Amino acid sequence: MIKTLSIFAILSFVLLPFESKAASGCTTASHYGVGDGFHGQLTASGKVFNAYGNSVAHRWLPFGTRLRVTNQSNGRSVVVRVTDRGPFIASRDLDLSYGAFASIASPSNGVARVCYRVI
């Protein structure tokens, strides 16, 4: 009984929520890659990270997924590709490359309210 309950608990509370999450939403996005040592390093997908390119880190979307990210305050948008995992702050779903973030918001702000969707 305990083993069955444990397997059921894992499937119900760990695996299934990933499958049921929407591939779009609104969140606070941050940026990385300039001044933090990540530029030129390998991402979780095995690609070399270009801080000035258009990429994004997301916790569970498959590598290679393309997203349109739109800044809620000014309407600017950018298309990015998931190449890394993160961010590791609970209130954020996206960690944009510096270049992608700079095309929709001022990097000096650090974060921006955005909406995103898979394209």
Side-chain angles (χ1 to χ4, degrees), residues 27-42:
T27 187
T28 301
S30 51
H31 65 83
Y32 73 116
V34 172
D36 56 16
F38 289 111
H39 180 72
Q41 299 297 312
L42 288 181

Side-chain angles (χ1 to χ4, degrees), residues 20-107:
S20 64
K21 287 183 180 178
S24 65
C26 295
T27 187
T28 301
S30 51
H31 65 83
Y32 73 116
V34 172
D36 56 16
F38 289 111
H39 180 72
Q41 299 297 312
L42 288 181
T43 62
S45 67
K47 299 196 182 274
V48 175
F49 177 64
N50 177 3
Y52 302 99
N54 288 341
S55 62
V56 65
H58 190 277
R59 284 187 205 94
W60 55 269
L61 282 173
F63 295 131
T65 301
R66 292 177 43 190
L67 302 175
R68 177 171 301 280
V69 180
T70 304
N71 184 327
Q72 289 181 321
S73 67
N74 62 22
R76 291 188 206 152
S77 68
V78 64
V79 174
V80 293
R81 188 174 303 273
V82 176
T83 61
D84 211 355
R85 292 294 175 226
F88 302 105
I89 295 175
S91 62
R92 298 180 195 160
D93 290 333
L94 303 176
D95 205 0
L96 296 163
S97 62
Y98 180 89
F101 190 93
S103 69
I104 63 169
S106 173

